[in-house]
Amino acid sequence: MRFELREEQAQIREMVRSLARKEFAPKAAEIDEQVRYPAENLSRLGELGLLGMLVPASYGGSETGAVAYAVALAEVAAGCASTAVGMAVTNMVGDGIHRFGTEEQKHRFLPLLASGAATGAFALTEPSAGSDAFGISTSAVRDGETYVLNGSKAFITNGTRAGVTIVMAVTDKKPKKRIGAFLVEPGMPGFSIGKAEHKMGLKGSDTVSLSFDDCRVPVRNRLGEEGEGFAIAMSALDGGRIGIAAQSVGIARAALEAATSYARERRQFGQPLAGFQAIQGMLADSATELDAAFLLALRAAYRKETGASYTREASVAKVFASEAAYRACHRSVQIFGGYGYIREYPVERHLRDIKVTSIYEGTSEIQRIVIARNLLR
Ligand code: CAA
């Protein structure tokens, strides 16, 4: 068993770390303050092949695999968490189209996503169906060569700008409820974008509601077979959850690094904070938990990359990483004391940004259900 990254994976890590430190981190506070979508960061990721990491080269992707993707996403998140979520969802959508799409769909959408010419969005959640994803009510009724979609979606990342959105909708209610997945493009009649949410964190990321009012989607835009939409959504989320685990580690690593340097500089009672065992314990706990979290994310990514099952491992990584990262961000604010509570320092942003990682792409409670079902079946 080897713990080192392969040479090309390590090179990607160095390249993305330098990009995130030089170009993303210096602007992250301003992006948060101005609630500004970091379009230029997403373009850079596209230029460097970081938006199609799970997509084969024949469709314009960089085909670096799930491990390199997790490594890169953590680095981007350490620089700018809002940029990382845009990157995560675009890669997830590309992966979903690659795994479940027709040749024609792959040629039509993947080069756009991989190059950054378009971002991707994933629309499962509805105002009344979040954790209970099967409870969605947006409908898709077949009418000749189109499906007519009606309903609305909530909290959709990249929703405003997406070149393609995977939309889950109910195709049949009887004798059994069945869900389909549809590739909805901007400008399709009846498709509209609603209000942007005012969020606690990830303020640069675009989160909106979507409406479908007799929206006609051609049959050629159905992803997979008619009743396959729910399984496609769950499978896409398995991969997405590895990304959220990696994103969590990246955000919390930035918070830990900030707290570590602050502890060296800040003096109280005649010595640097770093000299106090209470502070050392906090730093050590964060470092330990983040190491464990990243190893879990890499294990799930490795299983995905090598074709093994990874539903359970993805949920284990997501629940552990998002919760450990929250604790690490919380400790970092605590180490900064009063300065941790003001905007002048980055740790209050990290704490606001991290909270959603234990909510989106399946709450911690849902991850525990997935893990327990896996154990008990
Ligand atoms: N892969 C493939 N298929 C799967 C699967 C998986 N991981 N998990 C379940 N399925 C299939 C099952 O095999 C089953 O198929 P059959 O009907 O053919 O037997 C079907 O899906 C239904 O499965 P369940 O009975 O397990 O479904 P359930 O209603 O009990 O729900 C759940 C399971 C785990 C709770 C699920 O609803 C869930 O994950 N909920 C959370 C939803 C979620 O993560 N939302 C996030 C929104 S997206 C987002 O946040 C993105 C963003 O913008 C950042």
Side-chain angles (χ1 to χ4, degrees):
M1 184 175 189
R2 296 188 52 173
F3 276 104
E4 295 84 31
L5 295 176
R6 290 201 309 263
E7 199 183 326
E8 67 276 18
Q9 293 164 338
Q11 282 168 357
I12 290 171
R13 181 180 59 192
E14 291 321 306
M15 186 261 288
V16 183
R17 182 170 290 179
S18 151
L19 171 79
R21 286 196 170 155
K22 284 195 198 130
E23 296 185 31
F24 298 169
K27 288 183 303 192
E30 169 217 302
I31 285 165
D32 173 75
E33 196 69 38
Q34 297 177 357
V35 191
R36 179 175 75 74
Y37 179 75
E40 73 281 18
N41 293 355
L42 271 300
S43 299
R44 284 291 280 143
L45 294 174
E47 277 166 27
L48 294 167
L50 298 166
L51 295 179
M53 298 185 77
L54 307 169
V55 169
S58 50
Y59 303 110
S62 53
E63 210 177 342
T64 49
V67 171
Y69 168 57
V71 166
L73 192 54
E75 294 301 332
V76 171
C80 174
S82 294
T83 302
V85 69
M87 170 182 172
V89 180
T90 300
N91 274 285
M92 175 170 95
V93 168
D95 188 36
I97 295 176
H98 171 241
R99 286 195 289 145
F100 301 104
T102 62
E103 273 307 304
E104 188 273 328
Q105 289 167 348
K106 292 183 206 182
H107 283 292
R108 193 150 44 105
F109 294 112
L110 294 180
L112 291 174
L113 292 170
S115 66
T119 53
F122 180 82
L124 173 65
T125 301
E126 299 186 356
S128 310
S131 290
D132 180 9
F134 200 70
I136 61 170
S137 57
T138 293
S139 59
V141 177
R142 179 129 183 201
D143 180 23
E145 279 312 292
T146 58
Y147 284 90
V148 183
L149 268 60
N150 277 290
S152 59
K153 296 288 176 181
F155 306 127
I156 307 306
T157 303
N158 291 344
T160 312
R161 294 165 180 80
V164 57
T165 301
I166 303 181
V167 178
M168 267 50 71
V170 180
T171 54
D172 302 89
K173 283 192 190 141
K174 285 184 187 155
K176 195 177 163 217
K177 184 170 181 178
R178 296 203 311 159
I179 289 173
F182 301 90
L183 300 171
V184 175
E185 297 169 72
M188 283 183 166
F191 172 39
S192 56
I193 293 155
K195 71 173 176 73
E197 302 296 350
H198 295 290
K199 297 170 294 177
M200 173 195 271
L202 293 188
K203 286 177 180 271
S205 137
D206 160 32
T207 310
V208 293
S209 57
L210 303 177
S211 295
F212 305 90
D213 186 10
D214 286 334
C215 170
R216 285 192 175 264
V217 179
V219 169
R220 72 180 183 132
N221 277 32
R222 189 186 67 220
L223 186 63
E225 294 305 317
E226 224 181 49
E228 264 184 354
F230 193 71
I232 289 174
M234 290 297 111
S235 176
L237 282 169
D238 286 344
R241 289 166 183 167
I242 304 174
I244 302 306
Q247 185 201 18
S248 306
V249 172
I251 296 170
R253 197 190 73 206
L256 173 61
E257 283 172 4
T260 307
S261 14
Y262 185 78
R264 282 206 191 95
E265 289 158 17
R266 170 84 169 163
R267 295 179 71 85
Q268 291 290 285
F269 302 103
Q271 63 166 321
L273 292 187
F276 294 100
Q277 281 190 351
I279 302 292
Q280 291 171 10
M282 285 198 256
L283 296 173
D285 283 349
S286 293
T288 304
E289 291 190 59
L290 294 181
D291 265 7
F294 201 39
L295 287 171
L296 289 173
L298 292 178
R299 177 184 67 161
Y302 179 77
R303 289 182 67 87
K304 181 171 194 286
E305 191 165 301
T306 52
S309 63
Y310 60 95
T311 298
R312 172 180 176 272
E313 289 76 9
S315 284
V316 166
K318 205 246 182 205
V319 68
F320 186 83
S322 59
E323 294 186 354
Y326 181 81
R327 289 190 290 275
C329 290
H330 182 266
R331 286 184 201 107
S332 295
V333 170
Q334 195 67 16
I335 290 170
F336 270 81
Y339 292 105
Y341 199 65
I342 60 174
R343 293 264 161 118
E344 221 166 307
Y345 293 92
V347 286
E348 63 82 30
R349 169 166 48 84
H350 298 318
L351 185 61
R352 286 186 288 106
D353 286 345
I354 204 67
K355 181 58 205 137
V356 78
T357 61
S358 58
I359 297 173
Y360 66 15
E361 302 214 10
T363 61
S364 284
E365 293 69 25
I366 291 297
Q367 306 313 320
R368 289 186 171 93
I369 289 174
V370 173
I371 298 161
R373 281 186 184 178
N374 208 280
L375 287 172
L376 296 168
R377 75 166 176 233

